[in-house]
Every structure is written in C-alpha cells, then in structure tokens.
mmCIF file of all heavy atoms in Angstrom:
data_model
loop_
_atom_site.group_PDB
_atom_site.id
_atom_site.type_symbol
_atom_site.label_atom_id
_atom_site.label_comp_id
_atom_site.label_asym_id
_atom_site.label_seq_id
_atom_site.Cartn_x
_atom_site.Cartn_y
_atom_site.Cartn_z
ATOM 1 N N ILE A 13 -71.784 -157.613 60.670
ATOM 2 C CA ILE A 13 -70.759 -158.697 60.836
ATOM 3 C C ILE A 13 -69.397 -158.246 60.400
ATOM 4 O O ILE A 13 -69.309 -157.666 59.295
ATOM 5 C CB ILE A 13 -71.211 -159.937 59.992
ATOM 6 C CG1 ILE A 13 -72.620 -160.413 60.364
ATOM 7 C CG2 ILE A 13 -70.191 -161.053 60.160
ATOM 8 C CD1 ILE A 13 -73.126 -161.591 59.446
ATOM 9 N N CYS A 14 -68.428 -158.529 61.186
ATOM 10 C CA CYS A 14 -67.058 -158.129 60.826
ATOM 11 C C CYS A 14 -66.154 -159.342 60.988
ATOM 12 O O CYS A 14 -66.142 -159.994 62.002
ATOM 13 C CB CYS A 14 -66.554 -156.965 61.702
ATOM 14 S SG CYS A 14 -64.943 -156.332 61.291
ATOM 15 N N VAL A 15 -65.367 -159.619 59.899
ATOM 16 C CA VAL A 15 -64.505 -160.790 59.948
ATOM 17 C C VAL A 15 -63.059 -160.260 59.841
ATOM 18 O O VAL A 15 -62.777 -159.177 59.259
ATOM 19 C CB VAL A 15 -64.809 -161.812 58.877
ATOM 20 C CG1 VAL A 15 -66.101 -162.451 59.119
ATOM 21 C CG2 VAL A 15 -64.796 -161.198 57.464
ATOM 22 N N HIS A 16 -62.085 -161.061 60.381
ATOM 23 C CA HIS A 16 -60.650 -160.628 60.500
ATOM 24 C C HIS A 16 -59.798 -161.632 59.851
ATOM 25 O O HIS A 16 -60.021 -162.792 59.863
ATOM 26 C CB HIS A 16 -60.310 -160.430 61.945
ATOM 27 C CG HIS A 16 -61.158 -159.522 62.802
ATOM 28 N ND1 HIS A 16 -60.716 -158.379 63.397
ATOM 29 C CD2 HIS A 16 -62.553 -159.527 63.060
ATOM 30 C CE1 HIS A 16 -61.711 -157.846 64.036
ATOM 31 N NE2 HIS A 16 -62.825 -158.505 63.813
ATOM 32 N N ARG A 17 -58.640 -161.103 59.479
ATOM 33 C CA ARG A 17 -57.536 -161.924 58.999
ATOM 34 C C ARG A 17 -56.182 -161.309 59.402
ATOM 35 O O ARG A 17 -56.089 -160.092 59.464
ATOM 36 C CB ARG A 17 -57.584 -162.041 57.450
ATOM 37 C CG ARG A 17 -56.627 -163.090 56.967
ATOM 38 C CD ARG A 17 -56.587 -163.015 55.436
ATOM 39 N NE ARG A 17 -55.771 -164.035 54.815
ATOM 40 C CZ ARG A 17 -55.297 -164.058 53.654
ATOM 41 N NH1 ARG A 17 -55.551 -163.067 52.772
ATOM 42 N NH2 ARG A 17 -54.496 -165.017 53.138
ATOM 43 N N SER A 18 -55.207 -162.121 59.721
ATOM 44 C CA SER A 18 -53.881 -161.594 60.179
ATOM 45 C C SER A 18 -52.952 -161.228 59.083
ATOM 46 O O SER A 18 -52.112 -160.314 59.331
ATOM 47 C CB SER A 18 -53.222 -162.746 61.063
ATOM 48 O OG SER A 18 -53.029 -163.881 60.277
ATOM 49 N N GLU A 19 -53.092 -161.759 57.935
ATOM 50 C CA GLU A 19 -52.140 -161.375 56.888
ATOM 51 C C GLU A 19 -52.802 -160.298 56.008
ATOM 52 O O GLU A 19 -53.831 -160.451 55.492
ATOM 53 C CB GLU A 19 -51.827 -162.613 55.962
ATOM 54 C CG GLU A 19 -51.015 -163.665 56.720
ATOM 55 C CD GLU A 19 -49.630 -163.179 57.099
ATOM 56 O OE1 GLU A 19 -49.063 -162.408 56.347
ATOM 57 O OE2 GLU A 19 -49.161 -163.565 58.152
ATOM 58 N N PRO A 20 -52.140 -159.174 55.818
ATOM 59 C CA PRO A 20 -52.628 -158.015 55.043
ATOM 60 C C PRO A 20 -52.667 -158.391 53.540
ATOM 61 O O PRO A 20 -51.938 -159.235 53.089
ATOM 62 C CB PRO A 20 -51.707 -156.848 55.280
ATOM 63 C CG PRO A 20 -50.446 -157.524 55.625
ATOM 64 C CD PRO A 20 -50.814 -158.727 56.402
ATOM 65 N N GLY A 21 -53.524 -157.766 52.785
ATOM 66 C CA GLY A 21 -53.607 -157.992 51.360
ATOM 67 C C GLY A 21 -54.988 -158.384 50.902
ATOM 68 O O GLY A 21 -55.949 -158.480 51.665
ATOM 69 N N ALA A 22 -55.050 -158.840 49.611
ATOM 70 C CA ALA A 22 -56.342 -159.294 49.058
ATOM 71 C C ALA A 22 -56.821 -160.548 49.843
ATOM 72 O O ALA A 22 -55.984 -161.398 50.279
ATOM 73 C CB ALA A 22 -56.135 -159.674 47.545
ATOM 74 N N TRP A 23 -58.127 -160.659 50.014
ATOM 75 C CA TRP A 23 -58.595 -161.756 50.884
ATOM 76 C C TRP A 23 -59.795 -162.421 50.300
ATOM 77 O O TRP A 23 -59.711 -163.473 49.675
ATOM 78 C CB TRP A 23 -58.832 -161.127 52.267
ATOM 79 C CG TRP A 23 -59.463 -162.196 53.301
ATOM 80 C CD1 TRP A 23 -59.337 -163.532 53.206
ATOM 81 C CD2 TRP A 23 -60.144 -161.829 54.427
ATOM 82 N NE1 TRP A 23 -60.015 -164.082 54.268
ATOM 83 C CE2 TRP A 23 -60.455 -163.105 55.036
ATOM 84 C CE3 TRP A 23 -60.517 -160.705 55.055
ATOM 85 C CZ2 TRP A 23 -61.126 -163.176 56.222
ATOM 86 C CZ3 TRP A 23 -61.158 -160.783 56.269
ATOM 87 C CH2 TRP A 23 -61.510 -161.984 56.853
ATOM 88 N N LEU A 24 -60.971 -161.803 50.420
ATOM 89 C CA LEU A 24 -62.250 -162.500 50.071
ATOM 90 C C LEU A 24 -62.363 -162.521 48.554
ATOM 91 O O LEU A 24 -62.266 -161.558 47.854
ATOM 92 C CB LEU A 24 -63.429 -161.746 50.687
ATOM 93 C CG LEU A 24 -63.539 -161.790 52.224
ATOM 94 C CD1 LEU A 24 -64.710 -160.926 52.644
ATOM 95 C CD2 LEU A 24 -63.660 -163.189 52.730
ATOM 96 N N ALA A 25 -62.691 -163.736 48.085
ATOM 97 C CA ALA A 25 -63.061 -163.882 46.659
ATOM 98 C C ALA A 25 -64.502 -163.415 46.576
ATOM 99 O O ALA A 25 -65.217 -163.247 47.559
ATOM 100 C CB ALA A 25 -62.914 -165.324 46.316
ATOM 101 N N ALA A 26 -64.984 -163.222 45.304
ATOM 102 C CA ALA A 26 -66.304 -162.699 45.121
ATOM 103 C C ALA A 26 -67.338 -163.662 45.722
ATOM 104 O O ALA A 26 -68.298 -163.144 46.329
ATOM 105 C CB ALA A 26 -66.593 -162.567 43.569
ATOM 106 N N GLY A 27 -67.171 -164.935 45.562
ATOM 107 C CA GLY A 27 -68.113 -165.873 46.110
ATOM 108 C C GLY A 27 -68.118 -165.883 47.596
ATOM 109 O O GLY A 27 -69.226 -166.048 48.257
ATOM 110 N N GLU A 28 -66.986 -165.688 48.276
ATOM 111 C CA GLU A 28 -66.886 -165.701 49.738
ATOM 112 C C GLU A 28 -67.591 -164.468 50.276
ATOM 113 O O GLU A 28 -68.328 -164.464 51.250
ATOM 114 C CB GLU A 28 -65.462 -165.701 50.196
ATOM 115 C CG GLU A 28 -64.736 -167.032 49.831
ATOM 116 C CD GLU A 28 -63.273 -167.010 50.086
ATOM 117 O OE1 GLU A 28 -62.663 -165.869 49.947
ATOM 118 O OE2 GLU A 28 -62.681 -168.057 50.337
ATOM 119 N N ALA A 29 -67.346 -163.282 49.608
ATOM 120 C CA ALA A 29 -67.995 -162.032 50.019
ATOM 121 C C ALA A 29 -69.523 -162.165 49.854
ATOM 122 O O ALA A 29 -70.318 -161.707 50.695
ATOM 123 C CB ALA A 29 -67.462 -160.886 49.214
ATOM 124 N N ALA A 30 -69.933 -162.788 48.762
ATOM 125 C CA ALA A 30 -71.411 -162.931 48.538
ATOM 126 C C ALA A 30 -72.035 -163.874 49.607
ATOM 127 O O ALA A 30 -73.142 -163.602 50.148
ATOM 128 C CB ALA A 30 -71.618 -163.517 47.205
ATOM 129 N N ALA A 31 -71.251 -164.907 50.072
ATOM 130 C CA ALA A 31 -71.750 -165.748 51.051
ATOM 131 C C ALA A 31 -71.836 -165.074 52.360
ATOM 132 O O ALA A 31 -72.806 -165.316 53.134
ATOM 133 C CB ALA A 31 -70.873 -166.998 51.176
ATOM 134 N N LEU A 32 -70.917 -164.224 52.659
ATOM 135 C CA LEU A 32 -70.973 -163.465 53.938
ATOM 136 C C LEU A 32 -72.130 -162.422 53.926
ATOM 137 O O LEU A 32 -72.744 -162.279 54.984
ATOM 138 C CB LEU A 32 -69.588 -162.814 54.193
ATOM 139 C CG LEU A 32 -69.385 -162.191 55.528
ATOM 140 C CD1 LEU A 32 -69.472 -163.250 56.672
ATOM 141 C CD2 LEU A 32 -68.004 -161.510 55.670
ATOM 142 N N ASP A 33 -72.239 -161.774 52.796
ATOM 143 C CA ASP A 33 -73.371 -160.802 52.686
ATOM 144 C C ASP A 33 -74.732 -161.537 52.806
ATOM 145 O O ASP A 33 -75.647 -160.977 53.457
ATOM 146 C CB ASP A 33 -73.259 -160.086 51.382
ATOM 147 C CG ASP A 33 -72.028 -159.200 51.301
ATOM 148 O OD1 ASP A 33 -71.436 -158.991 52.304
ATOM 149 O OD2 ASP A 33 -71.678 -158.819 50.152
ATOM 150 N N SER A 34 -74.806 -162.709 52.355
ATOM 151 C CA SER A 34 -76.035 -163.504 52.412
ATOM 152 C C SER A 34 -76.304 -163.899 53.985
ATOM 153 O O SER A 34 -77.457 -163.868 54.317
ATOM 154 C CB SER A 34 -75.999 -164.773 51.542
ATOM 155 O OG SER A 34 -77.158 -165.568 51.738
ATOM 156 N N LEU A 35 -75.243 -164.288 54.635
ATOM 157 C CA LEU A 35 -75.368 -164.522 56.085
ATOM 158 C C LEU A 35 -75.884 -163.315 56.775
ATOM 159 O O LEU A 35 -76.706 -163.381 57.663
ATOM 160 C CB LEU A 35 -74.112 -165.037 56.612
ATOM 161 C CG LEU A 35 -73.995 -165.144 58.142
ATOM 162 C CD1 LEU A 35 -74.992 -166.258 58.584
ATOM 163 C CD2 LEU A 35 -72.543 -165.525 58.613
ATOM 164 N N ALA A 36 -75.342 -162.158 56.387
ATOM 165 C CA ALA A 36 -75.749 -160.870 57.024
ATOM 166 C C ALA A 36 -77.277 -160.698 56.847
ATOM 167 O O ALA A 36 -77.958 -160.247 57.779
ATOM 168 C CB ALA A 36 -74.955 -159.684 56.529
ATOM 169 N N ARG A 37 -77.751 -160.967 55.655
ATOM 170 C CA ARG A 37 -79.212 -160.793 55.479
ATOM 171 C C ARG A 37 -80.036 -161.834 56.254
ATOM 172 O O ARG A 37 -81.110 -161.474 56.718
ATOM 173 C CB ARG A 37 -79.443 -160.960 53.958
ATOM 174 C CG ARG A 37 -78.950 -159.780 53.148
ATOM 175 C CD ARG A 37 -79.571 -159.783 51.646
ATOM 176 N NE ARG A 37 -79.055 -161.013 50.944
ATOM 177 C CZ ARG A 37 -77.994 -161.024 50.261
ATOM 178 N NH1 ARG A 37 -77.185 -159.944 50.200
ATOM 179 N NH2 ARG A 37 -77.577 -162.081 49.614
ATOM 180 N N ASP A 38 -79.482 -162.992 56.339
ATOM 181 C CA ASP A 38 -80.153 -164.059 57.110
ATOM 182 C C ASP A 38 -80.235 -163.625 58.616
ATOM 183 O O ASP A 38 -81.290 -163.800 59.281
ATOM 184 C CB ASP A 38 -79.486 -165.380 57.005
ATOM 185 C CG ASP A 38 -79.693 -166.066 55.663
ATOM 186 O OD1 ASP A 38 -80.618 -165.636 54.980
ATOM 187 O OD2 ASP A 38 -78.872 -166.952 55.346
ATOM 188 N N LEU A 39 -79.106 -163.094 59.153
ATOM 189 C CA LEU A 39 -79.146 -162.660 60.498
ATOM 190 C C LEU A 39 -80.020 -161.472 60.721
ATOM 191 O O LEU A 39 -80.650 -161.417 61.839
ATOM 192 C CB LEU A 39 -77.688 -162.385 60.959
ATOM 193 C CG LEU A 39 -76.698 -163.558 61.085
ATOM 194 C CD1 LEU A 39 -75.345 -163.009 61.431
ATOM 195 C CD2 LEU A 39 -77.220 -164.452 62.193
ATOM 196 N N ALA A 40 -80.064 -160.586 59.768
ATOM 197 C CA ALA A 40 -81.052 -159.483 59.931
ATOM 198 C C ALA A 40 -82.498 -159.960 59.950
ATOM 199 O O ALA A 40 -83.257 -159.487 60.762
ATOM 200 C CB ALA A 40 -80.859 -158.506 58.697
ATOM 201 N N ALA A 41 -82.803 -160.950 59.102
ATOM 202 C CA ALA A 41 -84.110 -161.507 59.153
ATOM 203 C C ALA A 41 -84.382 -162.281 60.445
ATOM 204 O O ALA A 41 -85.455 -162.199 61.067
ATOM 205 C CB ALA A 41 -84.370 -162.438 57.936
ATOM 206 N N TRP A 42 -83.387 -162.984 60.978
ATOM 207 C CA TRP A 42 -83.577 -163.694 62.130
ATOM 208 C C TRP A 42 -83.739 -162.750 63.338
ATOM 209 O O TRP A 42 -84.574 -162.965 64.174
ATOM 210 C CB TRP A 42 -82.281 -164.598 62.450
ATOM 211 C CG TRP A 42 -82.500 -165.402 63.732
ATOM 212 C CD1 TRP A 42 -83.002 -166.631 63.852
ATOM 213 C CD2 TRP A 42 -82.101 -165.027 65.081
ATOM 214 N NE1 TRP A 42 -83.009 -167.037 65.108
ATOM 215 C CE2 TRP A 42 -82.476 -166.092 65.894
ATOM 216 C CE3 TRP A 42 -81.515 -163.883 65.597
ATOM 217 C CZ2 TRP A 42 -82.219 -165.922 67.279
ATOM 218 C CZ3 TRP A 42 -81.307 -163.799 66.992
ATOM 219 C CH2 TRP A 42 -81.650 -164.898 67.781
ATOM 220 N N ARG A 43 -82.950 -161.625 63.441
ATOM 221 C CA ARG A 43 -83.092 -160.739 64.504
ATOM 222 C C ARG A 43 -84.444 -160.061 64.504
ATOM 223 O O ARG A 43 -85.060 -159.775 65.522
ATOM 224 C CB ARG A 43 -82.001 -159.683 64.451
ATOM 225 C CG ARG A 43 -81.892 -158.910 65.774
ATOM 226 C CD ARG A 43 -81.026 -157.759 65.821
ATOM 227 N NE ARG A 43 -80.953 -157.203 67.115
ATOM 228 C CZ ARG A 43 -80.711 -155.920 67.377
ATOM 229 N NH1 ARG A 43 -80.475 -155.100 66.379
ATOM 230 N NH2 ARG A 43 -80.705 -155.446 68.610
ATOM 231 N N SER A 44 -84.920 -159.719 63.266
ATOM 232 C CA SER A 44 -86.238 -159.132 63.163
ATOM 233 C C SER A 44 -87.310 -160.090 63.746
ATOM 234 O O SER A 44 -88.235 -159.637 64.465
ATOM 235 C CB SER A 44 -86.561 -158.752 61.732
ATOM 236 O OG SER A 44 -87.847 -158.258 61.554
ATOM 237 N N TRP A 45 -87.155 -161.391 63.390
ATOM 238 C CA TRP A 45 -88.084 -162.356 63.946
ATOM 239 C C TRP A 45 -87.930 -162.447 65.410
ATOM 240 O O TRP A 45 -89.027 -162.522 66.157
ATOM 241 C CB TRP A 45 -87.812 -163.713 63.289
ATOM 242 C CG TRP A 45 -88.529 -164.885 63.968
ATOM 243 C CD1 TRP A 45 -89.776 -165.302 63.773
ATOM 244 C CD2 TRP A 45 -87.932 -165.716 65.083
ATOM 245 N NE1 TRP A 45 -90.037 -166.350 64.682
ATOM 246 C CE2 TRP A 45 -89.006 -166.596 65.443
ATOM 247 C CE3 TRP A 45 -86.687 -165.735 65.731
ATOM 248 C CZ2 TRP A 45 -88.780 -167.565 66.445
ATOM 249 C CZ3 TRP A 45 -86.544 -166.666 66.694
ATOM 250 C CH2 TRP A 45 -87.471 -167.550 67.073
ATOM 251 N N TYR A 46 -86.727 -162.528 65.950
ATOM 252 C CA TYR A 46 -86.495 -162.706 67.383
ATOM 253 C C TYR A 46 -87.134 -161.507 68.150
ATOM 254 O O TYR A 46 -87.774 -161.737 69.233
ATOM 255 C CB TYR A 46 -84.966 -162.727 67.612
ATOM 256 C CG TYR A 46 -84.552 -162.905 69.017
ATOM 257 C CD1 TYR A 46 -84.482 -164.194 69.571
ATOM 258 C CD2 TYR A 46 -84.184 -161.856 69.814
ATOM 259 C CE1 TYR A 46 -84.096 -164.377 70.882
ATOM 260 C CE2 TYR A 46 -83.729 -162.076 71.140
ATOM 261 C CZ TYR A 46 -83.713 -163.321 71.658
ATOM 262 O OH TYR A 46 -83.271 -163.559 72.937
#
C-alpha cells in the first residue's frame, strides 16, 4: 500500500502509521483468503 501527500515534510503520526500498517496486514490476510 502506498499513500501520497502533496506537501513535503513530516506527515504520518505514529498512530496513523500503525493504522495503515494494520490495514496492510488485513489486506494481506484478505488476499490470502481470496
């Protein structure tokens, strides 16, 4: 999963990065099931 932002600099807070990483694991599990 790759996400984008138009303004350079610091972006994802720790909680946001963790949520995105959790989504990546969910999608990996879903694709394995699919």
